[in-house]
Amino acid sequence: MKLFKKEVQTVNTAEGEVEIKYHKRKETLKEKVAAAAFLSPSFIGVMIFFVLPFFVVIYYANIDNLINQEMVGTQNFQNVLSNGAFKLAAKNTATFSLLAVPLAIVLSLVMAMILEGNIPMKSQFRTFFLSPLMVPVASVVLIWQVLFDYHGVINDAITLFGGSPIDWLKSEYGQVVVVILFLWKNLGYNMILFMAALAAIPKDVIEVSLLDGASAWKQFFYIKLRFITPTIFFVGIMSLINSFKVFREVYLLTGDYPFDSLYMLQHFMNNTFRSLDYQKLSAAAIIMAAVMTVVIGILFIFEDKIGKDVEG
């Protein structure tokens, strides 16, 4: 068996096209079998724990119940979309994401811009903003309960200045509490990503803009913002995904059935699972996954167009 095969590649040079001949090594059957053997555990794991459950969910979403198992088409999806609890959860989750994700992007970028300059105690500030990533969620929630309880620290401060106390977690202000918690937990990681993106901007481009008399604002909008666009989209997508996973914090703060403004899609999923209504749960999961896929797909398309414009 020949282990090498001859190939020809054409390369454009200043003198014209030049053909380069080289030998490419062929893979033997033994090497292919060995590669397949090494990949098989991961492949089997993905099939069992990701692909198979995905098709099981689709199957559950299209049957009437686990006993009859008759196909009902889109009936389960119609029941979910007309369900009042699902509508409330979807509205609250969308509101939270639309509020928390832009704030997470803007504030972390502002912090990265500030720490990019020569300020005192820069390392200490970085450590301070990254510390929430190392704190257990249960401890964070306990602190938030002390702060935003009806008899908590925030209300004590409000009362001190002549205001009326607010039951934060049982009012329309509940989402504000969770947004603050979300930002406190995620700003540090996003800030590090933006600092890395800002550090990767070519220094010669900045120096040329300084020689041309560009102000700091023009440098940011016309140079830095264009170079860090991929990072902005990455941070946005990660923040969007994390905003759909805020159930853990809300659940520890308020339990299974919180005030209406804090009833999220994850509450609906969790309560539906407890009632063993797998058909409704599967249909809601597919709807949620489809919406997330469409939103993230639109972001990727937009980022691809912006990225081509930057490269051009």
Side-chain angles (χ1 to χ4, degrees):
M1 178 184 294
K2 293 183 179 179
L3 295 180
F4 297 90
K5 63 178 180 179
K6 184 181 294 184
E7 292 192 3
V8 179
Q9 182 179 4
T10 303
V11 179
N12 293 320
T13 63
E15 292 78 12
E17 293 185 351
V18 178
E19 290 186 351
I20 300 176
K21 296 181 180 180
Y22 63 96
H23 291 83
K24 185 176 181 180
R25 190 176 185 277
K26 293 182 178 179
E27 284 187 312
T28 64
L29 179 60
K30 184 178 180 180
E31 290 175 331
K32 292 180 180 179
V33 171
F38 283 116
L39 290 174
S40 58
S42 298
F43 178 77
I44 293 172
V46 170
M47 293 296 294
I48 293 176
F49 296 106
F50 289 94
V51 178
L52 182 60
F54 176 76
F55 287 105
V56 171
V57 168
I58 294 177
Y59 176 71
Y60 280 171
N62 289 278
I63 61 175
D64 55 352
N65 56 64
L66 296 179
I67 298 175
N68 296 329
Q69 297 187 10
E70 294 182 3
M71 303 299 291
V72 294
T74 60
Q75 185 61 47
N76 290 325
F77 295 95
Q78 294 175 11
N79 293 339
V80 169
L81 292 175
S82 61
N83 185 279
F86 179 81
K87 291 179 181 179
L88 176 64
K91 175 187 174 183
N92 290 337
T93 304
T95 302
F96 176 80
S97 297
L98 290 173
L99 181 62
V101 173
L103 284 174
I105 297 173
V106 173
L107 293 179
S108 57
L109 179 56
V110 170
M111 292 193 311
M113 293 289 294
I114 293 173
L115 291 178
E116 186 190 24
N118 295 322
I119 62 172
M121 301 178 65
K122 181 187 295 187
S123 300
Q124 286 78 3
F125 277 115
R126 290 177 183 173
T127 305
F128 172 77
F129 287 119
L130 283 175
S131 59
L133 297 175
M134 300 177 284
V135 179
V137 176
S139 302
V140 175
V141 168
L142 181 61
I143 296 171
W144 248 248
Q145 286 176 335
V146 172
L147 290 174
F148 292 98
D149 187 74
Y150 186 79
H151 302 288
V153 177
I154 302 296
N155 278 338
D156 287 345
I158 293 175
T159 307
L160 185 64
F161 289 98
S164 300
I166 302 171
D167 197 349
W168 295 93
L169 298 176
K170 296 180 181 179
S171 67
E172 295 298 330
Y173 298 102
Q175 284 218 11
V176 176
V177 177
V178 182
V179 167
I180 296 172
L181 176 57
F182 175 82
L183 294 175
W184 183 80
K185 189 73 176 174
N186 292 278
L187 283 183
Y189 178 71
N190 295 345
M191 179 193 70
I192 294 299
L193 294 176
F194 279 127
M195 290 180 68
L198 290 170
I201 298 176
K203 301 300 181 184
D204 54 347
V205 177
I206 303 296
E207 292 173 357
V208 170
S209 66
L210 288 173
L211 293 174
D212 290 339
S215 63
W217 284 106
K218 287 186 177 180
Q219 285 183 15
F220 175 75
F221 284 106
Y222 292 102
I223 299 175
K224 293 182 179 180
L225 195 60
R226 293 168 64 88
F227 276 99
I228 65 173
T229 297
T231 305
I232 292 175
F233 279 99
F234 176 76
V235 170
I237 290 172
M238 293 303 298
S239 299
L240 179 63
I241 294 172
N242 289 331
S243 70
F244 274 76
K245 292 159 49 178
V246 78
F247 165 73
R248 180 176 53 181
E249 290 81 0
V250 178
Y251 178 79
L252 291 174
L253 279 171
T254 59
D256 289 323
Y257 297 94
F259 189 78
D260 285 353
S261 64
L262 289 177
Y263 190 78
M264 302 292 187
L265 277 173
Q266 294 89 340
H267 285 95
F268 176 81
M269 300 287 190
N270 190 55
N271 296 334
T272 305
F273 176 77
R274 287 191 174 187
S275 64
L276 302 181
D277 193 347
Y278 298 131
Q279 291 71 45
K280 185 190 294 183
L281 175 64
S282 300
I286 291 174
I287 293 172
M288 182 177 173
V291 172
M292 286 288 292
T293 302
V294 170
V295 172
I296 293 176
I298 292 173
L299 290 176
F300 270 117
I301 293 172
F302 191 54
E303 190 273 337
D304 184 59
K305 291 183 178 180
I306 297 295
K308 288 181 179 178
D309 180 60
V310 173
E311 292 173 1

